[in-house]
Amino acid sequence: MEEVPRLPEEAARIHEMIRESGTVVVTTHIRMDGDAVGSALALREALRAAGKEALLVNSTPIPEIYRFLAPLGTFLPELPPGKPIDLLISVDAANCERLEFMENSCRDYHFANIDHHVSNTAFADVNWVDPDAPCVGEMLLWFFLAYGYEINDLARDALYVSLLTDTGRFSFSNTSVRAFRAALKLAEMGVDPGAVASKVYFDKPIRKLKLLQLAYSRLNFICNDRIAYVFLDHTDLKKLGVSEYDTQEIVDIPRSAASAEVAFFMYGNADGTTRVSVRSKGNFDSRKFAELFGGGGHPGASGITMKMCLEEAKRVVLERACLLLSAGECRMDER
Ligand SMILES: [Mn+2]
């Protein structure tokens, strides 16, 4: 007997929805991370093995580091026009706006939402949201086993990528018993953890290392060193020949400072907006902080898109963060 944890009613309903569907589109949030790519890809594989026509849609391309799982072009940039779709499943997206290609049309489809963000807005017909899950890949692993979906080698490796990356190589606060249980299961199923980690973390082109070099040179500390930040502009990336997707782990640079209770990576987009990644250690709630500016995420990791240029966003965000931190506000243990 397989030791599969009890899944909630919503999981059973999503399984029903899949059973009744022929063509299923799987989507996930823009600027995909490892959990987005891994869980979407694994779900597509499981659906195909179950005899469904399954497509992946995302308006942003698959990041280079995950192309060992699936090539560029695996995700269609938009829904194929005129194609009847029986079911749409979103994974790892906290809200409909994160599914850029279908903004404002989230209610036009039979729609299932599988996610682990506390801030999930329950935007679909059926919403299976489990904030205690280390990643969506973990939810899907037990979903597949509970309902007898086949997990091929690609799906297995993709699920492991979800787990490995969303837990920060088993180091973030979501590295729970559940995370290790899923890792054990995937290892028993034959995943090669060393080989997967090597593909994700030790396979960088030199231009990406040059980007890290530049990022380190832009490392700053303020607020008695309690805040660390790195900033980059789209022109910096252009000069190095790297893409915005190559910046995903840069926030780990300021975060790695012992004194840093809050870490920021700020990226000035070409359209004049600024993307701010927030990470926190200790008691500062980065999700609460992000929400002050219309962003969202998890208590330890969140994101904001500021409708202002990099210089202005730097000033506004850093000032506010130092003020709140100094006053002991924006804590995890209040609200
Ligand atoms: Mn995730």
Side-chain angles (χ1 to χ4, degrees), residues 35 92 116 166:
D35 192 21
D92 200 39
H116 68 133
D166 246 27

Side-chain angles (χ1 to χ4, degrees), residues 18-328:
I18 290 170
R19 266 175 34 132
E20 288 163 3
S21 304
T23 303
V24 184
V25 166
V26 177
T27 188
T28 180
H29 62 80
I30 52 165
R31 289 192 294 272
M32 293 179 267
D33 59 10
D35 192 21
V37 172
S39 54
L41 202 56
L43 182 54
R44 183 198 67 178
E45 290 302 295
L47 291 169
R48 285 188 176 168
K52 312 294 174 185
E53 185 183 358
L55 302 169
L56 292 172
V57 177
N58 195 292
S59 45
T60 57
I62 184 168
E64 206 174 358
I65 57 166
Y66 304 120
R67 288 185 201 157
F68 72 95
L69 289 172
L72 191 66
T74 300
F75 288 79
L76 302 171
E78 54 187 31
L79 291 169
K83 189 172 181 63
I85 291 155
D86 301 321
L87 175 63
L88 197 76
I89 306 179
S90 162
V91 291
D92 200 39
N95 56 59
C96 199
E97 292 67 45
R98 297 274 281 149
L99 310 172
E100 208 166 55
F101 74 94
M102 56 178 304
E103 203 174 350
N104 304 324
S105 65
C106 272
R107 288 285 169 197
D108 297 352
Y109 301 90
H110 274 130
F111 200 177
N113 163 16
I114 307 175
D115 186 32
H116 68 133
H117 293 89
V118 193
S119 56
N120 192 288
T121 56
F123 51 84
D125 301 315
V126 177
N127 302 282
W128 176 22
V129 180
D130 184 353
D132 294 327
C135 61
V136 174
E138 188 262 2
M139 297 168 71
L140 286 178
L141 169 65
W142 302 118
F143 177 82
F144 295 157
L145 293 170
Y147 296 106
Y149 290 86
E150 187 190 317
I151 303 175
N152 64 19
D153 290 358
L154 173 57
R156 178 201 64 200
D157 288 356
L159 292 176
Y160 191 76
V161 165
S162 287
L163 194 57
L164 181 69
T165 57
D166 246 27
T167 60
R169 317 183 204 188
F170 301 99
S171 68
F172 298 159
S173 59
N174 62 347
T175 309
S176 54
V177 169
R178 281 179 65 168
F180 284 114
R181 229 170 239 150
L184 172 64
K185 185 73 209 166
L186 291 166
E188 284 171 350
M189 290 166 63
V191 79
D192 183 341
V196 174
S198 178
K199 285 285 183 196
V200 177
Y201 298 110
F202 307 116
D203 203 23
K204 293 183 174 74
I206 290 170
R207 61 194 154 77
K208 268 197 80 170
L209 296 175
K210 296 272 183 196
L211 176 68
L212 294 178
Q213 189 174 34
L214 179 64
Y216 271 103
S217 77
R218 299 270 178 81
L219 175 61
N220 290 275
F221 296 91
I222 56 161
C223 209
N224 289 322
D225 301 340
R226 296 171 76 187
I227 296 175
Y229 67 96
V230 166
F231 61 94
L232 290 169
D233 197 68
H234 64 101
T235 53
D236 295 321
L237 304 198
K238 206 169 167 194
K239 274 181 218 148
L240 291 170
V242 294
S243 79
E244 198 193 330
Y245 311 102
D246 296 323
T247 64
Q248 282 190 346
E249 289 194 350
I250 284 180
V251 71
D252 287 340
I253 294 173
R255 169 198 226 160
S256 64
S259 66
E261 291 165 60
V262 191
F264 294 103
F265 169 56
M266 306 195 189
Y267 176 72
N269 289 303
D271 66 0
T273 63
T274 301
R275 178 166 60 85
V276 182
S277 301
V278 193
R279 298 293 182 270
S280 63
K281 296 186 280 193
N283 212 349
F284 193 84
D285 191 326
S286 70
R287 178 168 61 96
K288 275 186 211 168
F289 183 79
E291 283 171 353
L292 297 173
F293 300 98
H298 304 286
S302 64
I304 315 166
T305 299
M306 309 277 288
K307 290 194 170 65
M308 53 180 82
C309 70
L310 178 63
E311 277 312 308
E312 208 179 334
K314 259 166 66 181
R315 190 179 53 76
V316 171
V317 167
L318 296 173
E319 220 173 79
R320 190 72 176 274
C322 187
L323 212 67
L324 291 167
L325 200 59
S326 306

